[in-house]
Amino acid sequence: MSMQYISTRGDAPRLTFDEVLLQGLASDGGLYVPETLPTWDEATFEHWRNLSYADLAVEVMWPFVKGTIERPVFQQIASETYASFRHLAIAPLTQLNTNLWVQELFHGPTLAFKDFALQLLGRLLDHYLEEKDKRVVIVGATSGDTGSAAIQGCRHSSRVQVVILHPHNRVSEVQRLQMTTVDADNVLNLAVEGNFDDCQHWVKTLFSQPEFMPEGLNLAAVNSINWARIMAQVVYYVYAGLRLGAPHQKVSFSVPTGNFGDIYAGYLAKKMGLPVKKLIIATNSNDLLYRTLKTGRYEKAELIHTLAPSMDIAVSSNFERLLFDLYQNADEVKACMASLNSTGGFDLSEEVLEKLREHFVAERSNDDLVLEEMRNTYERTGYLLDPHTATGVRAARRKAEQSHPIIVLATAHPAKFDQAIEAAGLKEHLQTELVESLRKKKERFEVVGNDLESIRSVVLKQCKKA
Ligand SMILES: *Cc1c(COP(=O)(O)O)cnc(C)c1O
């Protein structure tokens, strides 16, 4: 029997994994979540302890895909996915202090953690599209890292067209080059004259009005509204937990957070049985989640552009999945989302706020604090942090009890954000060979206005290539 997926808003059909993968957003505007979660006991963790990353990935993800794919095929896909990484451990841990660890999630092709999910997603798409003899057009918004990871994940997929919207002049140079220098016919980069939230809004709007698409061609999502991304991210939490003593030793994770996808995967790992003490939400000045934890009110604010642009987000889409889990009630989620749309925010119930605080703590760091953390960490350990990871390290130092291992997810390689490294005065220590070749390549992107009409028409143009 395959896993059933249900919408957080309760009014969309139940789907299986292959259908969720190809669809993204549910037809009622909600996000798909698995109806039930598998649970892992102590014996399971003991059994998993010595598995390679790819083998562990198969074990962790299998219950979510079972019934839609043959196990050897899935194994082959997982093994190819992680063979594209530049470190044999795939997600190695580096120690900074007695109980402070960094898990390096930046050894994939685009130097950020999003490769973990999007390298897999591209290969899964190939498999299911081939089997179903279908084609899709991926439309995605990016604050910088999703776009390049999605493009790298799908550039060879003959049944996929990729359209990526990024905010014009609002992504780092390396982020832009990683997207725009890919010379593939099925890739279109759109530089939107707006900010990331505008991009995300246009993508959501296109998904909510799929009638504009040509007959027989579907839209598919690569943002973390796509369940497959969350699923793939659960794996490295388990991998880190096992290395530092699970099931007998509790650990905490500090996670640089924007759309709440990465840390939500950590919450799921905890629910399934990984002994996690706290999940630390690390934000930059876009502190929506920090404020939510503090006040119980989730309220949108003006977007602030920071040195950690992949976390410059005013609405955290995946928080909806957590709400659904905490309320256990789709009507409550619908009411929250309706209030968010009409008034820009909503209040959590006392009970839900209490549950939220049981699992999560939060810390925010503005640009000055980020730079200070980068310098401090470098001076004391010789380890160079990218600005996103720096929010995580600072949050870990301030928020976690130091009595058990704390793992900071290092979400990007510092070379990807050399402007921040320069601002911190650390440029001389940066190794840039990973990105230098990009600067010699030809860029390809189209600038479009910040309006639905313009965006829809270029997407349609790309559909003709499918
Ligand atoms: C995407 C991203 C984040 C935020 O992850 P979410 O899943 O959106 O919370 C943090 N750091 C980097 C480098 C990223 O690319």
Side-chain angles (χ1 to χ4, degrees), residues 62-124:
W62 182 246
F64 298 109
V65 301
K66 197 173 86 178
T68 68
I69 188 169
E70 298 293 326
R71 186 153 168 135
V73 176
F74 188 60
Q75 257 162 343
Q76 180 65 25
I77 287 176
S79 131
E80 280 171 16
T81 295
Y82 298 107
S84 69
F85 283 53
R86 291 182 321 278
H87 195 294
L88 288 176
I90 313 299
L93 287 162
T94 297
Q95 189 167 23
L96 294 186
N97 204 347
T98 311
N99 271 324
L100 183 62
W101 301 76
V102 166
Q103 187 175 29
E104 296 179 349
L105 301 177
F106 50 68
H107 296 291
T110 71
L111 311 179
F113 81 91
K114 292 184 174 81
D115 289 324
F116 276 81
L118 286 163
Q119 282 293 312
L120 178 76
L121 191 133
R123 290 172 169 86
L124 288 173

Side-chain angles (χ1 to χ4, degrees), residues 112-114 143 145-146 175 224 229 233 255-263 310-311 313 318 386 388-389 411-412 417:
F113 81 91
K114 292 184 174 81
S143 55
D145 294 333
T146 299
Q175 285 181 317
S224 50
R229 281 193 50 187
Q233 289 168 196
V255 186
T257 304
N259 233 337
F260 206 74
D262 203 5
I263 196 163
S310 302
M311 294 154 67
I313 282 172
N318 278 292
D386 98 286
H388 305 81
T389 308
T411 50
F417 298 96

Side-chain angles (χ1 to χ4, degrees), residues 332-362:
E332 296 280 359
V333 175
K334 263 198 285 197
C336 289
M337 293 304 140
S339 167
L340 179 65
N341 269 337
S342 57
T343 72
F346 55 84
D347 293 300
L348 299 176
S349 72
E350 275 302 318
E351 200 188 332
V352 159
L353 181 58
E354 202 173 298
K355 282 198 219 166
L356 184 67
R357 287 175 176 159
E358 202 182 292
H359 300 288
F360 296 92
V361 291

Side-chain angles (χ1 to χ4, degrees), residues 152-170:
Q152 282 297 339
C154 300
R155 60 187 294 187
H156 300 300
S157 305
S158 56
R159 293 173 173 271
V160 180
Q161 293 291 322
V162 189
V163 182
I164 298 294
L165 283 63
H166 71 264
H168 192 33
N169 294 330
R170 300 280 195 207

Side-chain angles (χ1 to χ4, degrees), residues 74 116 133 151 156 174 225-226 260 322 336 360 402 405 408 418-419 433 439:
F74 188 60
F116 276 81
D133 190 20
I151 290 169
H156 300 300
V174 175
I225 58 175
N226 193 314
F260 206 74
L322 181 69
C336 289
F360 296 92
Q402 307 295 322
V408 180
D418 53 355
Q419 276 177 316
E433 63 269 23
R439 298 202 165 92

Side-chain angles (χ1 to χ4, degrees), residues 384-413:
L384 200 55
L385 299 169
D386 98 286
H388 305 81
T389 308
T391 66
V393 171
R394 181 169 174 274
R397 287 195 205 282
R398 292 175 59 88
K399 281 292 166 185
E401 300 159 39
Q402 307 295 322
S403 58
H404 65 287
I406 302 144
I407 301 148
V408 180
L409 300 192
T411 50
H413 192 288

